[in-house]
Amino acid sequence: MDFLTSFKICSSGLATQRARMEVAASNLANVETTRTPEGGPYRKKTVVLSSEPVPDGFNTAFKDAVKMVKIAAIVEEKNVKMAHDPSHPDADAKGFVAKPDINPVLEMTEMIAAGRSYEACVTAFDATKSMALKTLEMGR
Amino acid sequence: MQFLFDKAVGYLSTMMDFRAERHKVLVSNIVNLDTPDYKPKELVFNKSLEEAQAARKELELRRTNNGHLAAAPGNGEQFQVMQSGDKVEIDREMAALTENNLMFNLTVELLTRKFRGLNTVLKETR
């Protein structure tokens, strides 16, 4: 009965949801960015999650039932949005500017979803903590 | 020790085992809420609690010498992991987590009272 495994799983969830939130915030902040150190406009980033077995710690028959979560990759969007704006300093000869292909509404919903998932992880963490504390109380 | 710790203590500790393992499975479901292709899982009793209790005792090693210690009771065989759906439903999982948490606390509370009762008996006869 090791609660440390549950804590480990919860914290993997907290970390990935926070990363999702950061990526969504970065996408929102750079919605109009036309210059980057790599050249070209900012590319929209998407977090890809995958489940991962818990490293040791869980040595009973259900080893493959309990999974942590991790970030498999952060994928960059290939497409850019061409907007007609001849007065823009980064406009090409025809007056088109390459802008990031980001839909702010989608990014906002992504942020809400990440926030909710984060809250769920916090609740699970709290439940684990209360169970561990309750067990300690047993000897009193 | 049978005279001191009756059947109820055994049942309750098996129950605690089950709740603690189920908690891990539920936490894993919640954490993988946004993972594509993750199938939610659920921990269920293989048999009734009584049989689970018996299965636990079956696993004793043979002792050829009275000085040998008994083997630690086998763990995990009495419960079974099942796939509970196609996609994680957060409301279902949170409800199950809360229910499991409360049942765990209840089990601990019952065990505590059991021990407190024993303690009272031991103290008062002195």
Side-chain angles (χ1 to χ4, degrees), chain A residues 62-73:
Chain A
F62 327 118
K63 196 173 173 63
D64 51 344
V66 175
K67 293 274 203 301
M68 296 195 349
V69 63
K70 69 161 187 188
I71 297 174

Side-chain angles (χ1 to χ4, degrees), chain B:
Chain B
M1 281 228 287
Q2 205 59 43
F3 62 94
L4 193 56
F5 301 110
D6 57 8
K7 259 187 172 176
V9 174
Y11 285 148
L12 287 172
S13 60
T14 311
M15 185 73 161
M16 239 172 99
D17 255 0
F18 172 71
R19 295 290 167 193
E21 296 298 329
R22 182 159 180 250
H23 180 75
K24 253 180 262 177
V25 175
L26 293 175
V27 165
S28 154
N29 285 346
I30 291 169
V31 160
N32 283 292
L33 174 65
D34 300 304
T35 310
D37 301 334
Y38 180 85
K39 303 279 185 246
K41 307 199 176 65
E42 178 68 290
L43 194 64
V44 292
F45 266 93
N46 248 343
K47 319 151 197 144
S48 74
L49 185 61
E50 203 156 353
E51 285 174 56
Q53 190 69 34
R56 220 180 180 200
K57 293 215 176 83
E58 268 169 28
L59 269 166
E60 267 180 40
L61 289 183
R62 217 177 118 204
R63 281 181 280 176
T64 50
N65 185 314
N66 279 345
H68 287 169
L69 294 173
N75 194 4
E77 287 82 7
Q78 61 264 53
F79 316 129
Q80 199 186 347
V81 175
M82 281 176 65
Q83 190 181 318
S84 63
D86 221 36
K87 207 180 167 307
V88 182
E89 287 164 51
I90 191 65
D91 37 8
R92 204 203 140 272
E93 298 302 332
M94 294 315 277
L97 184 88
T98 312
E99 183 241 331
N100 194 57
N101 187 20
L102 289 175
M103 284 303 286
F104 180 88
N105 285 358
L106 171 75
T107 316
V108 173
E109 186 63 40
L110 287 176
L111 260 177
T112 311
R113 288 183 191 197
K114 202 88 201 155
F115 290 140
R116 209 179 292 151
L118 275 174
N119 216 6
T120 310
V121 172
L122 292 173
K123 262 190 200 148
E124 301 307 318
T125 49
R126 249 202 299 207

Side-chain angles (χ1 to χ4, degrees), chain A residues 15-30 42 45 47 71 74 107 110-111 114:
Chain A
T16 45
Q17 296 307 334
R18 195 177 39 78
R20 260 179 89 195
M21 186 72 100
E22 277 167 13
V23 167
S26 153
N27 286 343
L28 272 176
N30 286 293
Y42 177 86
K45 287 165 185 63
V47 177
I71 297 174
I74 294 182
E107 294 307 320
E110 173 77 5
M111 275 180 87

Side-chain angles (χ1 to χ4, degrees), chain A residues 114-126:
Chain A
R116 290 281 182 268
S117 300
Y118 190 89
E119 279 171 30
C121 290
V122 170
T123 309
F125 192 93
D126 265 349

